[in-house]
Amino acid sequence: MECFGICRDPLEGDCELKLFTFEDDEGRDTFWHSSAHILGQSLEMEYGCKLCIGPCTTRGEGFYYDAFYGELSLNEDHFKQIEAGAMKAVAEKQPFERIEVSRQQALDMFSDNRFKAKIIKDLPEDKTITVYRCGPLVDLCRGPHIPNTYFVKAFCCLKASSAYWRGDRNRESLQRVYGISYPDSKRLKEYLKQLEEAKKYDHRLLGAKQELFFCHPLSPGSCFFLPHGTRIYNKLMDFIRGEYRDRGYQEVLSPNMYNMQLWETSGHAANYKENMFVFEIEKQEFGLKPMNCPGHCLMFEHRVRSYRELPLRLADFGVLHRNEASGALTGLTRVRRFQQDDAHIFCRESQVKDEVRGVLEFINYVYDIFGFTFELKLSTRPEKYLGDLETWERAEAALTEALNEFGKPWQINEADGAFYGPKIDISVSDALKRKFQCATLQLDFQLPSRFNLTYSAEDEAKRERPVMIHRAVLGSVERMFAILLEHYKGKWPFWLSPRQAIVCTVSEKSEPYALNVRDQIHQGGYYVDVDTSDRTINKKVREAQLAQYNYILVVGEKDAENRVVTVRIRDRQDLSVMTMEDLLKHFKEEVEAFH
């Protein structure tokens, strides 16, 4: 499918025509791409910068423009001036005009902008080059665009940050301005209100407040998880491990570093080396693993495999390292050291559909417990792909059938698959209505071929090649930790909470019983503390509420005499009296129900 602006040249052949609005992904992306041009026009007119690239963001919220400003450093103080320039362009109802140019015309047009010139020179010789005129701005762009700037009724700059040309930290330092726009001002107000709400629950603030984790400049991008944060981290992994047992996965451990020969075989040395930590040992080059898949290929390869072993589901929580730029590091959401609930399924082509459906059901089960909703998209064969067309068509048909049997709505994302296989994109929405990409589900025909992986078929003399499925449910455990912390607004559900209960004494006389209650809960396998300080019971209860304990257990002299506890639930005012037997039974039921 090719997407065009509504006001471009007339269509010249038979086609299926679809009209997109702001409610559609394609329409919204086009709207925000056009808004990036409006932002670029304002930046160029106000500051004389050299524009680089200005797309809509991959996370589906707005757009940005990278530009070179020389010595000027932009910050929020510049935003009013930038927004005024943008709204001036909007008021002028500037049309977006598509113009085809030759390679030489394009180079002449951008002769004073080395960044655009480099983009032009890197285009294939037979590529049709287009520019779009929008008021005084003429920008290199393939489109499509909205008819004119007046469609943008509300425009706002969000933040400014540093960036590098082509994402290479050794190249020119650029500045990136993020923006958001809408077809009406009401939606912008709602979005900005949502942003303010999200700021209150930023995982970095809550993480510090609840003493869960911290970052240190001596190890940028590698977070320190404190005892309470480690409790949550381990609970998440134990949760997935429990599911692995029921779903036929086998957990493995694999090395953290490999000789670069492995990464040359996998293709990562050619395509991903700049994102790896590489070093020399005894005059040989090694790299810390940024992903587990090549190591799992070695595991499959290390002995002869039979069709009877398939599907073989290998799961690995191994530590991964990726060399992210220091300016891109953000709390737990963008790090250099992390773990994934990573797994690779080696199967026969005839097993792909059932395995994919099994992964989708796994994802649905986990996300339902977290309270997430999610959207599914099937990304199909891109323009440049490896392998034969017939295999791709069979794989896409298997994924289509699996999605249909799964029963949830899904969309097709034409030509957006990876070059080595089609994939299913899973986009989750949290309580703050933000979208995240966490889970992955990707077919791979190429790694089994690169590592020459085979198994013996029913006819033992015949060797066949397996299909590899890359999948993760949580994705990065660090990132999921951050998303859940913000999703729950710091109020962890009981099963996942690092502070499940606290026992508060009314007076010194009930202290021995309080300690006994603490010990019984601890022996039951729950996280419990006790407050025997001489503060008033109201202050103890208030502090426990602020610390987000799920259950506050008050014990006084009468409670001790009757061998009961007075139970207060975190966000409720009502009290109930329970025996220890009933309380522990209730805790067990809460954990089993993932409450």
Side-chain angles (χ1 to χ4, degrees), residues 228-260:
H228 288 87
T230 303
R231 290 174 180 181
I232 300 166
Y233 199 102
N234 288 339
K235 276 278 184 73
L236 286 170
M237 293 206 292
D238 289 344
F239 170 44
I240 296 297
R241 279 194 173 104
E243 289 302 309
Y244 282 163
R245 285 180 61 86
D246 297 338
R247 296 174 188 271
Y249 287 82
Q250 301 177 70
E251 191 173 345
V252 298
L253 299 172
S254 54
N256 270 19
M257 68 177 188
Y258 296 89
N259 190 293
M260 284 305 291

Side-chain angles (χ1 to χ4, degrees), residues 366-378:
V366 171
Y367 286 3
D368 188 52
I369 286 171
F370 290 156
F372 291 154
T373 58
F374 62 94
E375 297 174 358
L376 298 166
K377 289 184 180 180
L378 172 59

Side-chain angles (χ1 to χ4, degrees), residues 566-577:
T566 301
V567 181
R568 179 193 289 265
I569 300 174
R570 179 174 53 198
D571 295 320
R572 286 162 49 180
Q573 295 299 317
D574 56 312
L575 305 175
S576 60
V577 176

Side-chain angles (χ1 to χ4, degrees), residues 335-349:
V335 292
R336 288 173 174 165
R337 183 266 186 211
F338 62 100
Q339 289 174 260
Q340 284 185 325
D341 63 328
D342 203 6
H344 296 94
I345 302 170
F346 298 90
C347 64
R348 308 183 83 169
E349 195 175 315

Side-chain angles (χ1 to χ4, degrees), residues 39-40 42-44 46-52 65-74 78 82 114-115 160-161 172-177:
L39 171 62
S42 179
L43 294 172
E44 191 174 70
E46 299 294 335
Y47 305 108
C49 58
K50 304 298 181 187
L51 298 176
C52 298
Y65 220 120
D66 285 349
F68 180 74
Y69 293 83
E71 298 300 315
L72 178 66
S73 180
L74 289 181
H78 297 90
I82 297 168
R114 65 183 185 276
F115 304 101
S161 65
E172 293 92 335
S173 180
L174 310 175
Q175 291 184 68
R176 176 173 296 177
V177 177

Side-chain angles (χ1 to χ4, degrees), residues 56-87:
C56 56
T57 62
T58 53
R59 68 177 185 273
E61 286 183 10
F63 50 90
Y64 66 83
Y65 220 120
D66 285 349
F68 180 74
Y69 293 83
E71 298 300 315
L72 178 66
S73 180
L74 289 181
N75 56 50
E76 291 184 5
D77 295 338
H78 297 90
F79 286 179
K80 283 188 178 179
Q81 188 175 355
I82 297 168
E83 289 166 358
M87 294 314 293

Side-chain angles (χ1 to χ4, degrees), residues 56 114 140 314 357 379 530 549 575:
C56 56
R114 65 183 185 276
L140 185 69
L314 301 181
R357 190 180 65 228
S379 295
V530 63
Y549 283 93
L575 305 175

Side-chain angles (χ1 to χ4, degrees), residues 252-255 258 262-263 266 268 289 291-302 314 316 342 344 346 447 451 453 468:
V252 298
L253 299 172
S254 54
Y258 296 89
L262 175 83
W263 307 110
S266 69
H268 290 92
K289 65 178 178 183
M291 50 202 68
N292 289 307
C293 34
H296 289 183
C297 287
L298 294 185
M299 284 187 158
F300 186 94
E301 177 197 35
H302 92 284
L314 301 181
D316 196 333
D342 203 6
H344 296 94
F346 298 90
L447 275 186
F451 282 90
L453 304 183
M468 191 174 182

